[in-house]
Amino acid sequence: MSITIRFVGGPADGRTFAIPDDVPPPLYLIPLAPPISELFPSGRVEPTPIQKAEYEPLWQDGWPRRADDGAYLYQHRAAPLSAEERDALERDALERARREARAAEERRAAETDAAWQEIRKERPEYPADWRDLF
């Protein structure tokens, strides 16, 4: 008897495989094709290690989750980030937050200036710039 496994996410998204086991495996590894540049290495004799995509079963109420057709669903498990990648993501997020804060401050200043000009139309005795109030 065989069981059917359907992969969700990652490089094998949507693919279905029938395996000859009766019990779904706790982890399924799929070898990934290397980039073209690594297929024909220049000056390198040793082969590059084969990269693998990891898939683990989806669980629902303590049981392996199944699709409508009875296939066991396996979700892609992304590789953990290295310290350098994590630091780069944090720097990018921090820089993005700083840019957004600067843009928000500039928007608020422009809105305040526009509102002050409206107030000055009604009250010409007020100073030309709202900052002069302080």
Side-chain angles (χ1 to χ4, degrees):
M1 181 169 185
S2 68
I3 62 171
T4 306
I5 296 176
R6 178 166 297 122
F7 299 108
V8 179
D13 187 30
R15 292 188 186 161
T16 303
F17 292 107
I19 58 175
D21 297 335
D22 291 336
V23 179
L27 184 67
Y28 203 87
L29 301 175
I30 297 177
L32 300 175
I36 298 288
S37 61
E38 292 185 15
L39 287 177
F40 304 104
S42 58
R44 197 169 0 140
V45 177
E46 69 279 352
T48 58
I50 296 175
Q51 299 290 325
K52 295 178 183 73
E54 295 181 356
Y55 285 85
E56 59 189 356
L58 285 172
W59 296 90
Q60 185 174 20
D61 300 325
W63 294 92
R65 190 167 164 201
R66 293 180 145 206
D68 292 339
D69 62 354
Y72 288 95
L73 295 176
Y74 275 61
Q75 184 167 3
H76 180 252
R77 181 166 62 177
L81 296 175
S82 68
E84 294 84 20
E85 292 170 330
R86 197 172 33 256
D87 290 345
L89 286 176
E90 289 174 1
R91 279 193 307 274
D92 291 345
L94 183 60
E95 183 59 36
R96 188 177 331 107
R98 286 180 181 155
R99 279 195 311 268
E100 289 171 1
R102 254 186 254 121
E105 184 62 34
E106 290 171 2
R107 260 192 322 275
R108 282 192 296 272
E111 290 169 359
T112 304
D113 289 340
W116 184 254
Q117 294 307 316
E118 291 296 316
I119 292 171
R120 283 264 307 154
K121 287 179 186 174
E122 295 177 12
R123 310 256 173 141
E125 69 273 8
Y126 281 8
D129 191 1
W130 63 270
R131 293 171 188 88
D132 295 336
L133 291 174
F134 303 107

